[in-house]
Amino acid sequence: MTRTNPSPISDKTSAEMHWSRWGDPAHAGPLAESAHTLVDTFIGTSDTPAVDPADVRLSAPLAPELLAELEAIVGSGHVLTDHESRLLRTRGKSTPDLLRLRAGDGSDSPDAVVRPSTHDEVVALIDWAVRRHVAVVPFGGGTSVVGGLAAKRDGYAGVISLDLQRFDKLVEVDRTSMTAVLEPGLRGPAAEALLAAEGLTLGHFPQSFQYASIGGFAVTRSSGQSSAGYGRFDSLVVGLKVATPQGTLELGNSPANAAGPDLREVIMGSEGAFGVVTAVRVRVRPLPEVRTYEAWRWGSFTEGAAAMRTLAQAGVMPTVLRLSDENETAINLAKPSEVGGESAGGCLMITGYEGTPAAVEAKRLAVTAILGGLGGENQGADSGQAWSDGRFHGPYLRDSLLDVGVLVETMETVTFWSNLDHVYTSVKDALVGALGEATLVLCHISHVYETGASLYFTVATKASDEPLPQWLAAKAAASDAMVHNGASITHHHAVGQDHKPWLAEEIGPVGVQILRAVKAELDPTGVLNPGVLIP
């Protein structure tokens, strides 16, 4: 058995992500020769650098009298209007977001960045925003890929980014109940480090882990790569403290109850449109003594998916379970450092196990017996560890491809097992139909349930002279294919602005009415992240 460091944090992260790229450029580099050859052969490449950051056109800073009022609330050192601070909080990290910024369009920038440090300061800022009719965009790590950080400006006196980076504490640990209270500005690595010092883990490791925040996980209903073992983030949340224009909302005085609809679910997934989360109580677990990963190979995506369903419905789930389709396996996307290298073919599955040595070995043997009995070929620990080592580096590959004129984006959905193959085929066909035959469409199953699974697509094609409308047309075609074929518009990327038309179709007119009613009651002047979520 391979034993690894109990912490999954393998490299340090910078305080801010790059303005036009993912994460820290120190972790990125030019496209590897094998990957460049692959892409150049099938798609074609051409250099497309970003503009100089000083040339990005931002909105005008907030009026001086408004800035003075903000400084009176949070202090003069915590209201920022300089170009760099505002640029770093302009939009999120979707490909459309990056295309606009790389071309010099920063029109969605905040007019000021405001950094409160207490719940009372957030309440005061919201009250101020209501009086002054200024839009407020809560900001955690800036990792949104669905337009969740670009507020509508029309009709407002300005837009501020309410940066939660000073909410960076582990407030409380209840070892008897195995819960902890975390502040929303904690990034994933910092939260895990604080918990690890107490011998605990949250176990939430999405691909955005190194930069996304605890508050962001909550309000987007995030799902991590270890969800098979730990669960989605919304299943980990026990309680919330939220500042709203109508006052403070405190939720979660018990592990479960029948006291009406669960209002925690109203806030989780709300993307800052209903209030600003200032504290999150979560379930925690003991820090695992062992982490080990293995790889399995299947003859086809259908066979591998059937094996995943068997595990889920038998209740024999590893901590990590994911399956790449034939295309994704062929280019080694599950192992970012080997993209473009030779592949043994078939479909690659990753299984991971965490816990005590005895518990890990018992679960590994149980999973191995099922997968082996279904015809899977165990590839051992090396390929599994290669996935683990590169698990947070996928977005850097997108940046390298954008640099050479290749349009790359991801999208995800979720459906029942009986509908999985139909949705998989429909979305792939829609993307190729919109972008042309010289398009790579890759997919993996990233999250598994007894009743169904999520499909996570990666798309690459030659960028046209107008890449933004090119991608938006493809996104619309794929989104139509999802919703029109019985799948959800999103499994874990949330709604933002990009998914609103399809959310309206998915939940229907009564569902839309409910969302609008909650928004009107909690935020009647509409200052909280306007334009996001609500159809």
Side-chain angles (χ1 to χ4, degrees), residues 6 72 86 96 245 331 521:
R86 295 195 296 132
I331 70 167
E521 188 65 30

Side-chain angles (χ1 to χ4, degrees), residues 101-159:
L101 283 172
R102 289 165 69 97
D105 176 7
S107 56
D108 291 320
S109 65
D111 305 330
V113 177
V114 186
R115 303 185 303 194
S117 64
T118 68
H119 176 83
D120 288 345
E121 286 182 352
V122 174
V123 170
L125 285 170
I126 293 174
D127 289 345
W128 171 87
V130 170
R131 292 196 312 272
R132 289 299 198 173
H133 203 58
V134 171
V136 177
V137 181
F139 187 94
T143 62
S144 171
V145 292
V146 291
L149 296 173
K152 288 191 173 180
R153 311 182 63 93
D154 293 347
Y156 294 91
V159 177

Side-chain angles (χ1 to χ4, degrees), residues 324-333 346-347 424 428 439-443:
S324 294
D325 73 356
E326 290 87 349
N327 285 351
E328 188 168 287
T329 300
I331 70 167
N332 286 319
L333 191 62
C347 292
Y424 170 72
K428 287 181 64 176
T439 299
L440 286 174
V441 181
L442 321 173
C443 185

Side-chain angles (χ1 to χ4, degrees), residues 135-391:
V136 177
V137 181
F139 187 94
T143 62
S144 171
V145 292
V146 291
L149 296 173
K152 288 191 173 180
R153 311 182 63 93
D154 293 347
Y156 294 91
V159 177
I160 64 169
S161 173
L162 197 158
D163 191 325
L164 293 161
Q165 67 173 259
R166 296 173 71 200
F167 282 80
D168 59 357
K169 301 175 185 62
L170 170 60
V171 178
E172 174 191 314
V173 172
D174 180 345
R175 291 185 176 277
T176 303
S177 305
M178 288 299 283
T179 67
V181 177
L182 300 169
E183 290 192 325
L186 280 167
R187 306 282 176 87
E192 282 294 332
L194 289 170
L195 290 170
E198 301 288 336
L200 302 169
T201 184
L202 183 57
H204 188 70
F205 305 115
Q207 192 172 65
S208 62
F209 167 75
Q210 294 177 313
Y211 290 93
S213 66
I214 293 297
F217 293 151
V219 300
T220 59
R221 299 178 72 194
S222 174
S223 194
Q225 295 169 341
S226 301
S227 66
Y230 289 100
R232 293 167 54 96
F233 194 80
D234 47 11
S235 72
L236 304 178
V237 174
V238 178
L240 296 162
K241 187 173 184 179
V242 189
T244 82
Q246 302 302 319
T248 296
L249 179 64
E250 293 194 65
L251 302 167
N253 62 355
S254 58
N257 61 62
D262 190 346
L263 295 181
R264 289 174 301 180
E265 291 289 350
V266 174
I267 300 302
M268 290 190 290
S270 65
E271 302 179 60
F274 298 154
V276 178
V277 172
T278 60
V280 185
R281 184 181 293 275
V282 292
R283 293 191 296 127
V284 292
R285 294 177 171 92
L287 192 68
E289 299 174 40
V290 174
R291 281 189 171 96
T292 186
Y293 305 93
E294 293 182 340
W296 291 78
R297 195 167 297 278
W298 299 87
S300 70
F301 194 51
T302 299
E303 292 174 35
M308 297 176 107
R309 177 170 58 85
T310 298
L311 288 177
Q313 293 176 348
V316 183
M317 291 285 279
T319 308
V320 174
L321 182 62
R322 53 197 291 120
L323 173 73
S324 294
D325 73 356
E326 290 87 349
N327 285 351
E328 188 168 287
T329 300
I331 70 167
N332 286 319
L333 191 62
K335 297 180 281 185
S337 63
E338 301 176 31
V339 169
E342 291 187 10
S343 166
C347 292
L348 191 71
M349 175 186 287
I350 301 296
T351 57
Y353 309 89
E354 300 183 9
T356 64
V360 163
E361 183 64 6
K363 181 59 68 70
R364 190 185 69 82
L365 289 174
V367 171
T368 296
I370 292 175
L371 297 183
L374 292 171
E377 298 177 11
N378 194 326
Q379 306 295 295
D382 289 347
S383 290
Q385 192 60 46
W387 169 82
S388 177
D389 293 343
R391 66 193 297 187

